[in-house]
Amino acid sequence: MSEYCQREAPLAACLASPSVPVTLAIGARFDAMVQTHAKTKKGPKGSRAKVISELRQTQKLRVSKSDSFGHASPLSSPTSAKRPDLLTADLVEQCTEIYFTYIYPTVPILHRDQVKQYAADMQTSADAFCLIGALCSFIIIQPGLSLATAGEEVPREERGRKSSRGAGIVEEVVKMRKIYNSVENASTTTVVTAFLLSASYFGLEKHNSAWFYLREAITLAQILGMGDESTYVTNDPASQMRRQLYWLLFVADRAYVLHNLRPLTLHATILFPVAEDPEEVNTLLGLAHLVDLFRIIDDDLATKWNTARSKCSAPWLLDIQERLTAALPDQLECSEIQQMDLKVTQQWLRIVVWLLSLESGCLSTQSVHVAMTFTYPIDVSTEVVTLTQQYPVHTMEVHGLGFIEKLFDIACQLIDSMLVPTEPSHSQFTPQQCLDQFIHMITTLRGGKSRYVSLLRQKIQNTLSDSTLSTSFPQLPLLSPQTTMSYSSGSGGSTPYGSPPPGEIDFNSPLSYPMPFTGSPVEGMPPPLMSTSMPMEIPTSMPDFFLNHTSSTSLG
């Protein structure tokens, strides 16, 4: 049992404590379960077992049907609302296989048997049709995997067909959901469907719609009491999956706070699920680590990020950086796909906190804490480049746009930090080599043209020398001065991440690079809050960008 969690103390209180990582709380809860099971028999036998089983079934019927992951009340739906050419049995089977092979470790919200049952009921249940449709559209649109052979890179010409087919499925699902009241008929199924629709719209770069359906998923989860521990009356697989769904919404909620300046809604109010199936241990451990990372994004940090970035103190910021470092162990016992996501997310969150340090005037050229220096993005970039060379490409590919978004965000800060005079380093990679590797990843992950390659190119053009640009993009012409980047938000124009809408950039360049992406928390955010403090010991060659964000306050 962890020193943080004594057995006589409520485990919910243990989990709710901000000083206790979810992984430690899980260990405490698992120890308690083992002791309990060791002292009791597996259950009553014979007629008594039958009576108890009937009582449990009656109890389930009395509870909101959200406690059952199935669609207890099938809703017949007109066949005219569905296009059989979009959701074929072949497609459903392929998407199901890709989900459980590659996506499930990071999005563990469905059981295989459960998906099979939904697929069988698609013709008679609107809930089933919508969930299967949302799942297939998510697989088709979001991860860059080939349906023909899972794990293969998607050719450029196939991406257009896939996106079109995925968008068509999303449209049919949205139509079907209008036929019945998914709010008054709320269930865990409708929450999962809304979550998958949000992910699909994100992949289609319709970010207002993606935000809308994420908010719908969160609202439905709140209606169903998913954040209330008392609603989890059993530890059956359906209840465990509801817990996993809630914690994924918890993570997504915080990610949108950082990407889109959205309000924080969900909190750590329920216990984390415990894996009773040995095959689920690594999956849940990876999810627990992800939750530990995002629990650091609390109400205080979210408020400062959204409204008062210049009001952060140096000790508070350093404490967050240290908590981010401690959130993950040196050796992660989960799949490679989860490891890649966790480690890059950790580095990205470090950059987010570094930006708060910059805009609060807390960085210094003399600080003994590397996270509080102007060149910290170079250290982060070196970590990311080293990491990405240790794992297969598919461990990055399956994470879709969100993963590349983090790479882009880190690359933007690397570019700014390359302007800061530095001493020769013994690092494995030079800043230029790191930038070249980021360009390689951003322009090769997820085949197909992307306007975000042009965003990165313009960032380099506006910040570094033309020689750097010609070296990094040897066959791409420079953007003309007339090319304008728009940084307002909204799906109808530019995205909430600050990327310009399609059509503003000419892609008729000799060499096109694949990789759709969704923007940067720097370019897409409001103008930085300038510090009025006087700079301290800043070299005369320090870029104006950093001169505007320095302070006499330092930690070292």
Side-chain angles (χ1 to χ4, degrees), residues 155-437:
R156 296 182 188 181
E157 61 274 10
E158 185 184 336
R159 277 201 56 80
R161 294 194 299 269
K162 278 164 51 61
S163 293
S164 177
R165 187 175 190 179
I169 295 174
V170 168
E171 182 180 348
E172 290 302 308
V173 171
V174 171
K175 285 180 182 178
M176 179 63 69
R177 294 181 95 228
K178 292 178 180 178
I179 295 176
Y180 72 102
N181 192 330
S182 60
V183 176
E184 295 303 326
N185 294 288
S187 66
T188 308
T189 303
T190 58
V191 180
V192 173
T193 300
F195 179 78
L196 293 174
L197 283 174
S198 174
S200 298
Y201 276 117
F202 180 84
L204 292 170
E205 299 188 55
K206 294 185 177 181
H207 298 291
N208 285 346
S209 295
W211 167 244
F212 176 88
Y213 281 102
L214 176 61
R215 292 301 303 175
E216 178 180 309
I218 290 174
T219 302
L220 290 172
Q222 290 175 316
I223 290 173
L224 297 172
M226 281 187 166
D228 182 357
E229 181 62 33
S230 66
T231 65
Y232 297 87
V233 294
T234 65
N235 286 322
D236 61 295
S239 293
Q240 292 291 81
M241 196 62 77
R242 287 179 66 227
R243 292 183 185 275
Q244 291 166 212
L245 176 58
Y246 179 84
W247 286 110
L248 274 176
L249 292 173
F250 173 93
V251 169
D253 185 33
R254 279 153 174 72
Y256 262 83
V257 168
L258 302 178
H259 280 304
N260 304 73
L261 299 178
R262 304 300 190 186
L264 188 150
T265 304
L266 300 180
H267 296 86
T269 54
I270 65 169
L271 293 172
F272 198 82
V274 173
E276 297 185 354
D277 183 348
E279 294 183 0
E280 291 290 308
V281 171
N282 287 346
T283 295
L284 288 186
L285 195 56
L287 178 58
H289 287 314
L290 189 64
V291 169
D292 280 338
L293 282 172
F294 277 93
R295 283 181 71 193
I296 297 171
I297 312 302
D298 57 14
D299 289 282
D300 192 18
L301 193 153
T303 299
K304 286 182 169 64
W305 178 259
N306 286 342
T307 61
R309 296 193 192 180
S310 65
K311 305 299 182 182
C312 307
S313 69
W316 180 76
L317 290 162
L318 181 60
D319 177 67
I320 295 175
Q321 290 285 12
E322 291 174 346
R323 288 168 61 194
L324 284 172
T325 300
L328 297 182
D330 293 334
Q331 298 295 326
L332 291 171
E333 297 181 3
C334 51
S335 70
E336 288 187 336
I337 289 174
Q338 289 173 298
Q339 290 179 38
M340 175 61 72
D341 182 44
L342 288 167
K343 292 180 178 180
V344 171
T345 297
Q346 181 188 47
Q347 300 301 327
W348 173 71
L349 289 173
R350 285 172 170 167
I351 287 295
V352 168
V353 179
W354 179 85
L355 280 170
L356 283 175
S357 304
L358 173 68
E359 296 183 19
S360 294
C362 296
L363 299 182
S364 168
T365 57
Q366 306 299 319
S367 178
V368 297
H369 304 285
V370 65
M372 305 304 288
T373 64
F374 293 102
T375 57
Y376 185 53
I378 296 176
D379 296 87
V380 170
S381 299
T382 302
E383 290 284 337
V384 172
V385 169
T386 303
L387 170 69
T388 55
Q389 294 192 347
Q390 297 173 351
Y391 290 84
V393 174
H394 80 269
T395 61
M396 295 179 274
E397 195 78 67
V398 299
H399 298 298
L401 300 179
F403 182 86
I404 305 171
E405 183 172 66
K406 293 167 186 171
L407 295 180
F408 183 84
D409 294 344
I410 296 170
C412 285
Q413 303 319 308
L414 167 64
I415 292 168
D416 285 330
S417 294
M418 288 173 68
L419 297 175
V420 181
T422 58
E423 296 293 330
S425 171
H426 298 291
S427 175
Q428 182 179 358
F429 302 102
T430 66
Q432 181 62 54
Q433 288 174 326
C434 288
L435 177 58
D436 290 342
Q437 184 62 22

Side-chain angles (χ1 to χ4, degrees), residues 17-145:
S17 172
S19 63
V20 184
V22 171
T23 45
L24 290 178
I26 292 173
R29 188 166 172 231
F30 182 76
D31 288 345
M33 287 180 62
V34 169
Q35 287 197 357
T36 300
H37 285 296
K39 295 178 181 179
T40 60
K41 297 179 180 180
K42 291 190 175 181
K45 308 296 181 182
S47 60
R48 184 165 174 260
K50 183 178 179 181
V51 171
I52 291 178
S53 177
E54 290 175 352
L55 287 173
R56 285 177 177 170
Q57 188 62 33
T58 303
Q59 181 187 43
K60 287 182 180 180
L61 291 175
R62 289 175 179 172
V63 179
S64 168
K65 65 179 176 180
S66 64
D67 285 346
S68 170
F69 215 104
H71 36 284
S73 302
L75 300 172
S76 58
S77 54
T79 55
S80 59
K82 294 177 284 187
R83 290 172 51 187
D85 60 310
L86 284 176
L87 272 180
T88 63
D90 247 4
L91 177 65
V92 172
E93 184 178 351
Q94 289 182 64
C95 289
T96 300
E97 193 58 38
I98 290 176
Y99 170 74
F100 285 105
T101 302
Y102 296 98
I103 311 302
Y104 179 81
T106 53
V107 189
I109 55 176
L110 292 167
H111 290 297
R112 186 180 288 271
D113 290 342
Q114 173 191 2
V115 172
K116 288 182 180 178
Q117 186 60 52
Y118 278 120
D121 294 342
M122 283 175 55
Q123 300 304 316
T124 58
S125 169
D127 265 353
F129 174 83
C130 290
L131 186 138
I132 293 296
L135 175 64
C136 289
S137 65
F138 168 62
I139 297 298
I140 292 171
I141 296 168
Q142 183 76 339
L145 298 173

